[in-house]
Amino acid sequence: MILDCSSYESAKDSLLQIFNISENNLVDLLKNINPFNHISLSPETVLYEYVCDTVGEPDGNIEVLWFHGTRTEDETLFRKHGILTKTDARVFIEPRLIELAAGLESSGSNPFSMSLSGKDGPHDEGPFAFLIRDVAIQPPSYCHNYLDAPELVEDLAGIMLGRNYIQLVERFKQIARPCVVAFLAPAKGYEIPCVLMYVKLVIDGSTELDAGSSANTFYDAEGEVVLPERIVSVEVINDA
């Protein structure tokens, strides 16, 4: 079974299959509980335990569809190389940024120096992804907007140009297209509670985007490439 939050309807339909219940039963369950008053458990955990106690544990093995937002010159490369870690992606991105930086002058200190110091170390980073597609495309203010500019691009631009980094970022944005790469990964257990919260918030009156922003969670490959065979789609976002 696949937990698919491409849309609110796909998220709801996924829950119906995973718990093997009707839509009316799911809506009634989620309407009839207030998960926000529990002292020691998160609202998502309260929801999940309530649903499991009422209708039973999820059926079968579950895979989750995740949404990786980025910006790229050639979206077809994901089918060839997969979604790369920070170190692997740098091999492709840094030479291109050096080309794009021709004629630009460095000025002042790197505004990302503090953030970069926290990323230093022997471990690699990413790739990362959003659980809910709408949030990958329109991230809330507390999230980086990866469709606007990958964080690695900004970091490298800051190293090259200091406070003039934005000039290089803008050059990159002019030649790169925003896209969302959807891929499958085995569920780890924290995803279904978030989707239950997402669906409940919409049922209770929130917009799909607000509900997604509140209930979204993230995927961290922890330094492992997302292999090409796990990629389901590569979607260019023309209006991002």
Side-chain angles (χ1 to χ4, degrees):
M1 294 186 185
I2 295 176
L3 183 61
D4 174 5
C5 294
S6 297
S7 67
Y8 168 72
E9 290 299 326
S10 70
K12 182 177 62 177
D13 289 345
S14 295
L15 293 176
L16 300 183
Q17 295 179 44
I18 287 168
F19 287 103
N20 193 25
I21 59 174
S22 70
E23 181 173 352
N24 287 339
N25 284 343
L26 177 65
V27 170
D28 287 343
L29 281 173
L30 297 182
K31 277 185 174 179
N32 291 333
I33 180 173
N34 180 356
F36 299 101
N37 292 331
H38 202 284
I39 297 174
S40 58
L41 296 177
S42 69
E44 292 84 0
T45 300
V46 173
L47 271 182
Y48 181 73
E49 292 186 353
Y50 172 72
V51 172
C52 288
D53 288 345
T54 306
V55 301
E57 298 284 337
D59 291 338
N61 295 323
I62 298 168
E63 289 193 296
V64 179
L65 189 65
W66 294 96
F67 301 93
H68 172 79
T70 189
R71 200 173 187 103
T72 180
E73 282 188 84
D74 185 358
E75 62 275 6
T76 66
L77 292 177
F78 292 108
R79 297 289 191 181
K80 181 178 180 180
H81 300 291
I83 308 174
L84 302 179
T85 66
K86 178 185 71 173
T87 299
D88 292 332
R90 183 169 183 164
V91 173
F92 288 88
I93 293 174
E94 189 167 23
R96 187 61 170 128
L97 290 179
I98 291 172
E99 292 177 1
L100 292 172
L104 299 178
E105 294 184 1
S106 176
S107 176
S109 59
N110 180 4
F112 306 113
S113 58
M114 293 295 293
S115 140
L116 284 170
S117 66
K119 299 174 185 176
D120 287 340
H123 65 286
D124 206 348
E125 287 190 330
F128 303 101
F130 295 83
L131 177 62
I132 297 171
R133 176 183 173 277
D134 283 348
V135 186
I137 295 173
Q138 299 182 67
S141 58
Y142 60 83
C143 290
H144 184 84
N145 188 339
Y146 297 95
L147 270 65
D148 183 60
E151 194 171 2
L152 179 58
V153 169
E154 292 184 342
D155 288 344
L156 292 173
I159 292 171
M160 295 178 190
L161 297 182
R163 67 187 179 201
N164 283 348
Y165 79 96
I166 194 63
Q167 298 175 20
L168 180 52
V169 172
E170 288 300 321
R171 284 190 178 182
F172 175 81
K173 288 168 62 175
Q174 288 172 12
I175 53 92
R177 293 177 293 277
C179 67
V180 172
V181 185
F183 64 92
L184 289 170
K188 294 185 177 180
Y190 62 89
E191 304 95 342
I192 293 176
C194 293
V195 180
L196 284 168
M197 178 58 70
Y198 171 50
V199 172
K200 175 177 174 55
L201 291 172
V202 174
I203 289 171
D204 288 348
S206 293
T207 67
E208 293 177 18
L209 183 58
D210 286 345
S213 297
S214 296
N216 180 72
T217 190
F218 301 93
Y219 174 87
D220 182 356
E222 299 179 341
E224 296 290 334
V225 173
V226 175
L227 298 176
E229 54 264 34
R230 290 167 55 191
I231 292 175
V232 173
S233 65
V234 181
E235 176 188 9
V236 175
I237 309 298
N238 292 318
D239 56 354

